[in-house]
Amino acid sequence: MSAAGSPPPRTGAFSRRTLLVAAMVGTASTAVACTGGSGGDPADAVTPQQADQLAAQLTVQQALVDAYDQAFAADPGLATAAATLAEQARTQLDRLQAAAPGATGSPAPTTGGGPGPADARAWLRTQVVAAADAHAAAAATFSGGRAALLGSIAAGLRGQEGLLA
């Protein structure tokens, strides 16, 4: 304890901002490894079925980006508090698009008018969990860089889930 009776400051602890930056850097590095340079890695070959699965994951991620927009429209205070998370979801969408040769995600069907102001955070958290689950399940069907990318996105979304709690 310090002289004033308060515990000494913690060293080595991660702030939320540090966690988000690390998750974004990890996602970016994985995407570069997934889409860049060598191009000849057989583990990164995509079958037609996997191309369809990547297109489905694009749809999942686009739905999440849209969910952020809906939640922010319902609760402007949430928009201020979670703007970084929405930007991360958009960056993840860009990375998925780069990793999905020729695939385009379909616009997600709109389900009702979205959340109300009182439940926008909880509703958004549910959307984040669903997207993380979908990406994690899809990662198991890939190998190489695309598996790493989907796994990284799923992990990043698990971090968002915790921040939205």
Side-chain angles (χ1 to χ4, degrees):
M1 292 227 147
S2 68
S6 62
R10 295 187 322 187
T11 57
F14 286 104
S15 68
R16 287 182 179 185
R17 178 164 286 169
T18 302
L19 178 64
L20 285 173
V21 169
M24 287 173 43
V25 168
T27 300
S29 332
T30 302
V32 168
C34 175
T35 61
S38 68
D41 186 357
D44 281 335
V46 178
T47 67
Q49 180 184 6
Q50 288 174 325
D52 291 345
Q53 290 172 317
L54 283 170
Q57 294 314 300
L58 282 171
T59 301
V60 166
Q61 193 66 25
Q62 181 62 58
L64 181 59
V65 168
D66 295 343
Y68 268 102
D69 292 341
Q70 289 178 327
F72 290 175
D75 182 357
L78 180 59
T80 302
T84 303
L85 301 179
E87 184 56 36
Q88 183 182 10
R90 285 181 183 85
T91 301
Q92 291 166 338
L93 177 61
D94 293 342
R95 303 291 184 241
L96 272 173
Q97 287 171 332
T104 57
S106 306
T110 339
T111 55
D119 64 347
R121 181 179 290 268
W123 178 85
L124 181 57
R125 186 170 180 233
T126 301
Q127 305 307 307
V128 168
V129 168
D133 289 348
H135 293 320
T141 66
F142 288 89
S143 61
R146 288 181 181 87
L149 175 63
L150 288 166
S152 176
I153 291 172
L157 293 176
R158 292 290 179 215
Q160 287 188 12
E161 172 193 1
L163 293 172
L164 290 168

